[in-house]
Structures are given as C-alpha cells and as structure tokens.
Amino acid sequence: MSGRVIVDCQRLLCPMPVIRVQDVVRTLAPGSLVEARCSDPGALHDIPAWCRINGHRVLATRTTADDEYIVVVEVGEAE
Amino acid sequence: MTEQRKAVALISGGLDSLLAARVIQDQGIHVEGINFFTGFCVEGHTHAIRKKDRAKPKRNNALWVAEQLGIRLHIVDIVEEYKEVVFNPPHGYGANLNPCLDCKIFMVRKAREWIAEHGFDFIITGEVIGQRPMSQRKDTMPVVARDSGADDLLLRPLCARNLPPTRPEREGWIERERLFDFSGRGRKPQMALAARLGLHDYAQPAGGCCFLTDAQYSAKLADLWRARGEKRYEMDDIMLLKVGRHLRPRPHFKVIISREEGEGNFLKGYKRSFISLTTTSCAGPLALIDGEVSEEDLMLVARLVARYSQGKQEETVELEVSDREGNRRALRVRPMAPSEVLEAWHL
Ligand code: SF4
C-alpha cells in the first residue's frame, strides 16, 4: 500500500509513541495512513485509545516475529 | 444564542482532574484535556520493561480519563523545556527532587499559551486546597495563578468556593454555586463525588504524579548530577534510573545491573552507549558501566556482576565484556562475597 507515513517508535516508552503519532497525524489530511512501529507493547493499547478519543481509526494492530508492535491508523476528520 | 464556552482541563490521570473536568462539562462547557509529558511521569515504563509486569493489563491513565469523559486529549512533550524547572526551581524542591510549585506554574503557563492559540476561554485543574504540601496550599495557589499568567482564567472547580471568584464565575459562564469547597488531605469528598457521578475504577496515585516525588529515584538523580559535576540529564538517563540495581563502587563510575530478563533486554538497547558485561558460564544479569574504568575497576565490576549471577557460589564465573564499539573479550573472576558489596554502594 502506498502513501503511508511510517513513524519509528523503536526504543520509545509510552506515552512517547502516542505523542509521535499525534504530532504526525496533525500534519496529515483525513484519510491518510500512518504506521507506527514500536518496541513498547503498551503502544498496542495506548495508540488505539488515543485514536478513539480523537476521532481516528485503527485499521490494524499486529506483533511481528521480532517483537515489533505495529499499529496502522487512518486519520479522521476531527482536527 | 449564548456563545459556547470552551475550557482546557489539565489531566494527570488521577481522580481529581477527572472530577474537575466532569463537573465543568456538566455545566455545558466544551472541555478538552491537556496532558504534559515531562519524562518523569509515573506511566507504564517499568511495566513496559519488567517481564513479569507485562502480562498485567496496562493503561495510560490520562487517556483512560479522557475516554471516560468523552473528551479529546492533547499530550504535549515538554521534556526539553521542563529541564530548567527541575534544575533551578525558583520556589525550591519538595521533600525530594520534586519542584511541585514551579512545575504547576510551568504547566498552567503552557496551558495559558495553549488556550490563547486554540481560542479556548479558560483553564481547569483538579487542585484542592491543602491536598499537597507544596503546590496546593492556600498561600501557594494564588502564586500559581499569578506567576503562570493565567490569573483569573484559572478555575479549580473542586475548591473554587474557598477561593475568590474567577472570571468564568463572574461572567456567568458557569455557576459558582454548583462548584465545590473541598479542602485538606482527605479523599472522602472526592470519592463521594465520584460515586455520585457514577465514576469507578479510577487511578489513585499515592505520592504524586511523577517519579521526582520518589525518594529512591531522587537519590539516584542527585547521584548522577554529583558524578557529572553539574545538573544535566537526557531522556535516556532518566529512563535508565528506573531500571535495574544501581551501584556506585567508586566515585568515577556506577554499574547498572538488570534484575530480571525484561530489564536485561531493555539494557541491551544501550550496549552501544556503555561498556557492558554479561555472564557466559552461567545465567546472569546484563550490566552497564556508566563512567570510564581502568582494568582494575573492570575486574571489580566483573566480580560484582558475578555476585548477582546464578554462579555466585561457584569458585569462578566467566563473563563477556563488550566495549561501545562491540569488541568483546572474556574474563574469568571469583564472585564477590556478600560482605564485599558495601551497603554504601547501593544508590
Ligand atoms: S509530583 Fe511531579 S508532576 Fe506532580 S506537581 Fe510535583 S513535580 Fe510536578
């Protein structure tokens, strides 16, 4: 899939991954996709919670074989 | 039609800020939350690191509070700017290295800037007179309002009736009679209000909202500054202070030793920034050396690390030392006896 912005959150502990995602989402148009790649499993909980309250959509969450936690977000209309 | 007034609430994730925001929402005000990340916040860090804690469900309390209230939450990274507050708080520190009063002033000032930028009308906090020994006293609460520049745009709904009316009250944006007059350290009025509003399962942080109120953490931070000869820290420093055992056998270096597998994995991420040691002849911790060490110092550290390994009763233990470039070599040492690990080394 093209046009997705990758946010590198490796070695960042929560809530830093949320802040990184928030700061990128703020610059994007509704419908854009953001993929956060995290090493703190807390991101699987916190990024979706942040999306729910701020009107964005989580399209997918997954854990890779080498313990990388991925969250894909679609930017909502809210900003 | 009357204008829709808007307030920003400082959300720490505790009960008081939850209640304060909720009672203002109930008066028809549009409320959004703001949460400041200083780097010292008591969030899930140790949780994220320690393996045994990972199984427990974890939540970010500020996000949870916002979700309960159905409000948006803006998380603001103030790590860099906040350093000045920690280094030189004009009003001094609390019981430990917590600069609570200047911290509050700083956060309310940030919120003041935020409302000006975003077209909001006023600021709400969950402060209660007498709740905290430094920042929430009858004489210091006006200082926060004044020195932050928020003045009478700062409303504390839980104790507003003990304070002079603020602009939102005077202008009739909200009804003062429907605010509260809580005071003192007790938690009963807050808990009763929570029950009345149907709020359960909220967080009740004990000491305060950040690690700076923790005596042990503050001692480690003070030690770091002493060793460096100046007050200075980076994000990695303040993270590492939360992880492992910290021992300073000599003034010019300290050793960070993992206590379990999760901490070991976390410390591995720092192998390029520090000399590291790990046991190879038996299971054991990962250790980092913060400081420059001689060959003699290195042997001492190796013996200390061996002491915390499964081979502590063995005649000798083999370790691998790795420098910052990744060059590795083996060492074989006799583990320290318990009596050799001095109490004074523990930070
Ligand atoms: S406990 Fe920490 S975050 Fe809370 S007011 Fe004091 S210094 Fe600030």
Side-chain angles (χ1 to χ4, degrees):
Chain A
M1 204 183 290
S2 66
R4 91 171 42 180
V5 180
I6 307 292
V7 184
D8 178 9
C9 301
Q10 286 292 340
R11 278 185 57 184
L12 296 179
L13 296 178
C14 285
M16 281 309 289
V18 181
I19 297 176
R20 287 283 160 85
V21 168
Q22 168 190 268
D23 292 349
V24 168
V25 162
R26 196 174 277 155
T27 66
L28 298 173
S32 309
L33 298 185
V34 173
E35 177 173 317
R37 296 181 177 169
C38 315
S39 51
D40 179 354
L44 290 182
H45 183 276
D46 290 358
I47 295 176
W50 179 83
C51 288
R52 282 196 299 277
I53 60 182
N54 288 290
H56 309 294
R57 211 150 69 92
V58 174
L59 299 186
T61 58
R62 64 173 195 277
T63 306
T64 67
D66 35 334
D67 266 0
E68 195 178 37
Y69 305 94
I70 312 250
V71 185
V72 182
V73 175
E74 184 186 46
V75 179
E77 302 283 344
E79 289 296 328
Chain B
M1 204 178 92
T2 54
E3 195 181 334
Q4 170 68 64
R5 294 291 168 184
K6 298 197 269 187
V8 74
L10 265 65
I11 300 289
S12 65
L15 176 60
D16 293 359
S17 54
L18 167 63
L19 292 174
R22 174 64 191 273
V23 300
I24 294 305
Q25 264 184 316
D26 286 352
Q27 293 211 24
I29 303 290
H30 171 85
V31 177
E32 295 191 10
I34 195 164
N35 172 261
F36 294 106
F37 178 65
T38 64
F40 295 104
C41 307
V42 181
E43 263 312 326
H45 290 173
T46 42
H47 197 290
I49 297 163
R50 301 192 73 162
K51 199 171 180 195
K52 70 174 168 53
D53 292 346
R54 279 196 178 198
K56 293 183 215 152
K58 165 217 173 270
R59 72 179 189 207
N60 173 304
N61 285 320
L63 287 169
W64 182 85
V65 162
E67 203 163 10
Q68 295 305 300
L69 294 166
I71 62 172
R72 302 189 67 193
L73 181 73
H74 310 274
I75 308 180
V76 184
D77 171 359
I78 54 166
V79 171
E80 281 306 314
E81 293 166 86
Y82 190 73
K83 287 180 179 175
E84 197 45 39
V85 179
V86 181
F87 296 152
N88 298 306
H91 295 92
Y93 297 105
N96 295 298
L97 285 177
N98 49 313
C100 290
L101 185 49
D102 291 294
C103 172
K104 266 278 143 59
I105 293 168
F106 180 80
M107 288 183 181
V108 175
R109 186 185 306 130
K110 286 274 159 211
R112 175 76 185 87
E113 291 165 12
W114 194 93
I115 62 168
E117 265 167 47
H118 293 82
F120 277 52
D121 300 291
F122 62 102
I123 302 161
I124 333 164
T125 69
E127 292 166 287
V128 168
I129 290 181
Q131 181 82 204
R132 297 235 192 267
M134 189 177 196
S135 56
Q136 300 187 29
R137 292 198 319 246
K138 187 138 193 146
D139 58 327
T140 57
M141 288 179 75
V143 176
V144 175
R146 188 193 64 213
D147 291 6
S148 63
D151 293 312
D152 64 355
L153 293 182
L154 174 59
L155 176 68
R156 287 103 161 192
L158 301 186
C159 62
R161 276 162 48 201
N162 294 325
L163 295 166
T166 57
R167 179 141 179 243
E169 295 158 275
R170 288 199 315 273
E171 302 267 345
W173 303 341
I174 56 152
E175 291 172 42
R176 182 172 168 90
E177 299 67 43
R178 289 170 61 197
L179 301 178
F180 296 89
D181 59 356
F182 300 166
S183 73
R185 297 188 68 93
R187 307 288 302 154
K188 286 220 179 92
Q190 284 94 319
M191 285 156 79
L193 178 59
R196 212 157 69 230
L197 295 172
L199 299 167
H200 309 282
D201 197 27
Y202 41 80
Q204 288 273 42
C209 23
C210 84
F211 269 103
L212 293 170
T213 56
D214 183 89
Q216 231 191 335
Y217 188 88
S218 289
K220 285 189 271 188
L221 183 59
D223 166 80
L224 187 84
W225 290 346
R226 248 191 329 270
R228 291 189 175 163
E230 59 176 331
K231 289 184 179 179
R232 182 166 59 81
Y233 65 79
E234 297 304 327
M235 196 61 192
D236 279 342
D237 295 321
I238 58 181
M239 287 295 151
L240 283 171
L241 293 184
K242 298 175 189 172
V243 185
R245 274 175 232 286
H246 290 234
L247 296 105
R248 186 175 292 283
R250 299 284 180 270
H252 57 284
F253 70 89
K254 86 168 170 181
V255 190
I256 307 171
I257 305 176
S258 65
R259 290 171 294 195
E260 45 90 72
E261 197 187 331
E263 289 192 339
N265 288 337
F266 183 77
L267 293 182
K268 259 189 211 148
Y270 291 88
K271 283 181 78 168
R272 291 278 159 170
S273 313
F274 299 90
I275 297 172
S276 61
L277 290 92
T278 185
T279 50
T280 47
S281 61
C282 59
L286 181 83
L288 304 179
I289 303 177
D290 185 6
E292 295 309 321
V293 286
S294 65
E295 194 58 27
E296 192 186 333
D297 295 333
L298 196 57
M299 292 305 282
L300 180 142
V301 175
R303 295 191 57 221
L304 177 65
V305 176
R307 159 85 211 128
Y308 288 104
S309 75
Q310 301 275 320
K312 62 182 178 219
Q313 312 282 14
E314 305 292 326
E315 201 52 41
T316 60
V317 165
E318 193 170 290
L319 299 98
E320 185 178 83
V321 185
S322 178
D323 67 15
R324 297 180 187 87
E325 284 73 46
N327 303 312
R328 290 177 292 183
R329 69 181 165 118
L331 283 179
R332 183 164 278 281
V333 297
R334 183 168 51 83
M336 274 186 185
S339 60
E340 286 180 273
V341 184
L342 303 186
E343 195 48 47
W345 294 357
H346 289 272
L347 299 175

